Amino acid sequence: MGKKAVVIITAAAVCTAAAALVVRHRIRSSGRWARATAIIKELEEKCGTPIGKLRQVADAMAVEMHAGLASEGGSKLKMIISYVDNLPTGTEKGLFYALDLGGTNFRVLRVQLGGKGRGIISQEFTEVSIPENLMVGTSDALFDYIAAELAKFVAKEGQDYQLPPGRQRELGFTFSFPVLQSSINSGTLIKWTKGFSIDDAVGQDVVAELSKAIEKQGLDMRVSALVNDTVGTLAGGRYVNGDVVAAVILGTGTNAAYVERAHAIPKWHGLLPKSGDMVINMEWGNFKSAHLPLTEYDHSLDTESLNPGDQIFEKLISGMYLGEIVRRVLCKIAEEASLFGDTVPPKLKVPFILRTPDMSAMHHDTSSDLKVVRDILKNVLEISNTSLKVRKIVVELCNIVATRGARLAAAGIVGVLKKVGKDAFKDGEKQRTVVALDGGLYEHYNEYSKCMENTLRELLGEEVSESIVIEHSNDGSGIGAALLAASHSQYLGVDES
């Protein structure tokens, strides 16, 4: 009897202890969830973009645009004069080339334009990678290599691509590095980025360097236009649609360009162009305003970046940074609420490991068990055995960060429309206004682009938004550059019958 009593008492004690453990685990677990929920709620509040705040951002963008046009250094927006005063009209005719140098690869294109009503008849391109030693060598070595590839491309041309006798080939040069432009076809290199470091090219006119190398190849080709990819996107958009007034790139980075009246540019001291227009490259990624909804995660990302204090708008809305913001929030939840267990998964601590395409895939996961989220957490961050509850938190985070970015991008566009007087009807006129958009973020992150377009409607109102159209304009850095070579051709006005 005594033994039985001991066994029963011991068993009861074990059950009580086990029950206490379960209760403690539940309390701890509910404490963790409460902390995780609190972090998300705080993020949602700090990332809030109510319509009133977005209007303030749009107004601030327009004010900064005015300031940047008034004087050099007058604003965080550089408002660079592109020297593009003739955008394509769709009537351009003939054979034109483009060279797109923006990273470790470059592209050479040729485009045959058919004139009014015929558009682009044919286009061909080749892509070439740049050997690493040339990225840190000399200016001559780099441009000689590029010109040799250009000459090879021209040498392979068939009879369809012959120019009329006495005509020089003409090329648009997209050079996606910081340049101080002094005319439509000249500009000095300010500094290299993206892994290039060629000291003797800094301070040189990149068009002169390329032209010298082309001449060495015995190639009769003139660089007609030095362009930025955003200006090229604007040109590509205007070629197919005369109502295009601005272009926005939403990709890894972000930028905008638009058509300004030349007399509204106080810092322009040259003769007014015949067209009366001038394309402005805004460099809007550098926009900064007290109205931007910044969080602790944005501040730490900026502080630890290669360019602290710069490109704040870009760090909120572009593809380079959205996934990284989500990673930083997940890291905090893992540290403070043990979302993925008692230790923080090592991969979650690696900056930029969570790319925006992964974030987009998780945000778009419609499966009942969020399988895509589970797989990305496992394959990218090496976090296994996540519960559905945890996966739902991840999707919610993606939604908060993407929504803020998309709504701020829309506010930026409204700021540009405001500056050119297209954000409201004047005297009952209903003119169609088109904004050309390009970039992988806009093209592939559907939740982002859908939210951005809905926000535009919300900001502009039903009536005005009916006349504002967003159109996808593809390959501004390639075709756009060739089109600008055509619209700035030395043979303009020569009868091409």
Side-chain angles (χ1 to χ4, degrees):
M1 188 72 181
K3 278 186 183 174
K4 272 189 190 173
V6 170
V7 170
I8 289 165
I9 289 163
T10 306
V14 168
C15 287
T16 307
L21 271 173
V22 169
V23 169
R24 268 204 301 275
H25 176 73
R26 278 186 185 151
I27 289 168
R28 209 161 128 230
S29 182
S30 66
R32 285 173 176 179
W33 280 111
R35 183 68 193 120
T37 308
I39 291 170
I40 288 161
K41 192 167 183 291
E42 186 190 10
L43 177 77
E44 196 166 20
E45 284 168 7
K46 290 274 174 69
C47 285
T49 48
I51 208 73
K53 184 178 271 291
L54 292 179
R55 289 195 204 288
Q56 289 174 320
V57 170
D59 289 345
M61 180 70 81
V63 166
E64 289 297 319
M65 289 171 77
H66 277 283
L69 290 173
S71 62
E72 292 300 343
S75 163
K76 277 294 233 180
L77 292 180
K78 291 193 177 73
M79 302 301 281
I80 297 165
I81 294 167
S82 72
Y83 294 89
V84 171
D85 54 7
N86 281 315
L87 281 166
T89 59
T91 58
E92 292 77 13
K93 191 175 179 183
L95 175 62
F96 297 93
Y97 298 80
L99 169 64
D100 177 13
L101 175 61
T104 52
N105 292 351
F106 67 90
R107 285 185 307 153
V108 182
L109 299 90
R110 94 181 118 239
V111 178
Q112 186 82 42
L113 305 175
K116 192 170 185 178
R118 295 190 66 199
I120 297 169
I121 295 170
S122 61
Q123 54 180 292
E124 292 177 26
F125 79 93
T126 186
E127 190 158 346
V128 184
S129 61
I130 299 171
E132 279 183 27
N133 62 305
L134 293 183
M135 293 170 67
V136 292
T138 65
S139 180
D140 281 356
L142 175 69
F143 285 106
D144 286 350
Y145 179 76
I146 290 168
E149 291 296 331
L150 188 55
K152 273 188 220 170
F153 185 69
V154 170
K156 289 176 187 165
E157 275 170 8
Q159 289 302 308
D160 297 347
Y161 291 103
Q162 296 308 303
L163 286 162
R167 284 283 170 102
Q168 230 185 346
R169 287 181 168 85
E170 295 187 285
L171 172 121
F173 182 20
T174 302
F175 186 73
S176 299
F177 299 91
V179 159
L180 184 63
Q181 206 152 339
S182 46
S183 75
I184 185 62
N185 61 351
S186 62
T188 53
L189 175 64
I190 297 167
K191 64 173 180 178
W192 289 104
T193 55
K194 306 173 196 177
F196 283 79
S197 181
I198 303 169
D199 291 343
D200 68 344
V202 176
Q204 298 300 313
D205 180 350
V206 292
V207 172
E209 294 293 295
L210 176 61
S211 301
K212 185 174 70 177
I214 287 172
E215 214 173 296
K216 278 191 216 168
Q217 293 293 328
L219 193 58
D220 190 18
M221 183 180 275
R222 173 179 178 264
V223 181
S224 300
L226 174 65
V227 302
N228 151 286
D229 59 352
T230 317
V231 174
T233 300
L234 179 56
R238 177 64 75 92
Y239 181 72
V240 295
N241 191 326
D243 294 328
V244 169
V245 299
V248 174
I249 303 272
L250 286 167
T252 306
T254 184
N255 194 11
Y258 74 104
V259 184
E260 184 58 273
R261 300 173 314 281
H263 65 75
I265 309 170
K267 68 181 180 183
W268 171 256
H269 300 302
L271 292 169
L272 288 180
K274 282 180 196 165
S275 67
D277 290 333
M278 179 61 72
V279 173
I280 299 293
N281 164 22
M282 290 176 61
E283 292 294 337
W284 87 347
N286 209 35
F287 171 65
K288 196 174 182 178
S289 162
H291 301 299
L292 292 173
L294 296 167
T295 67
E296 63 185 90
Y297 312 102
D298 303 304
H299 289 301
S300 65
L301 186 154
D302 177 49
T303 305
E304 293 163 30
S305 70
L306 296 171
N307 53 351
D310 288 337
Q311 301 298 105
I312 299 299
F313 195 51
E314 182 168 82
K315 287 168 184 168
L316 291 173
I317 75 169
S318 82
M320 175 84 184
Y321 301 101
L322 297 179
E324 172 62 4
I325 297 164
V326 170
R327 181 198 70 81
R328 284 170 181 266
V329 184
L330 280 176
C331 211
K332 176 161 179 165
I333 300 174
E335 283 165 0
E336 296 190 11
S338 306
L339 186 67
F340 304 112
D342 291 334
T343 57
V344 178
K347 287 274 168 133
L348 191 55
K349 294 179 179 177
V350 179
F352 292 96
I353 193 168
L354 186 65
R355 295 161 52 251
T356 300
D358 295 324
M359 169 188 172
S360 169
M362 293 194 291
H363 195 172
H364 292 128
D365 189 357
T366 53
S367 61
S368 57
D369 61 345
L370 297 177
K371 181 183 180 299
V372 176
V373 178
R374 184 193 69 200
D375 292 348
I376 287 171
L377 291 175
K378 186 180 174 186
N379 299 332
V380 177
L381 299 171
E382 293 179 3
I383 300 169
S384 302
N385 307 320
T386 50
S387 67
L388 184 57
K389 202 172 175 183
V390 165
R391 284 176 239 154
K392 281 180 176 173
I393 276 186
V394 173
V395 175
E396 194 178 345
L397 280 181
C398 294
N399 186 52
I400 291 167
V401 173
T403 299
R404 178 186 66 168
R407 285 174 70 80
L408 288 174
I413 293 171
V414 171
V416 177
L417 293 172
K418 190 180 272 287
K419 172 70 184 74
V420 295
K422 302 286 186 183
D423 63 320
F425 288 137
K426 290 185 176 61
D427 305 324
E429 67 164 47
K430 280 199 176 187
Q431 196 190 342
R432 193 166 173 269
T433 300
V434 180
V435 179
L437 255 103
D438 195 16
L441 182 66
Y442 171 75
E443 204 177 340
H444 303 300
Y445 199 150
N446 296 337
E447 287 292 333
Y448 184 102
S449 42
K450 201 166 65 184
C451 175
M452 187 196 77
E453 289 176 19
N454 288 340
T455 307
L456 264 177
R457 275 193 290 276
E458 198 182 338
L459 281 165
L460 293 165
E462 213 53 52
E463 200 185 4
V464 175
S465 63
E466 277 174 23
S467 68
I468 307 289
V469 181
I470 299 289
E471 273 185 10
H472 184 214
S473 174
N474 207 3
D475 194 19
S477 58
I479 291 167
L483 291 170
L484 284 166
S487 66
H488 291 81
S489 166
Q490 62 190 322
Y491 303 112
L492 279 181
V494 174
D495 182 20
E496 292 209 46
S497 56

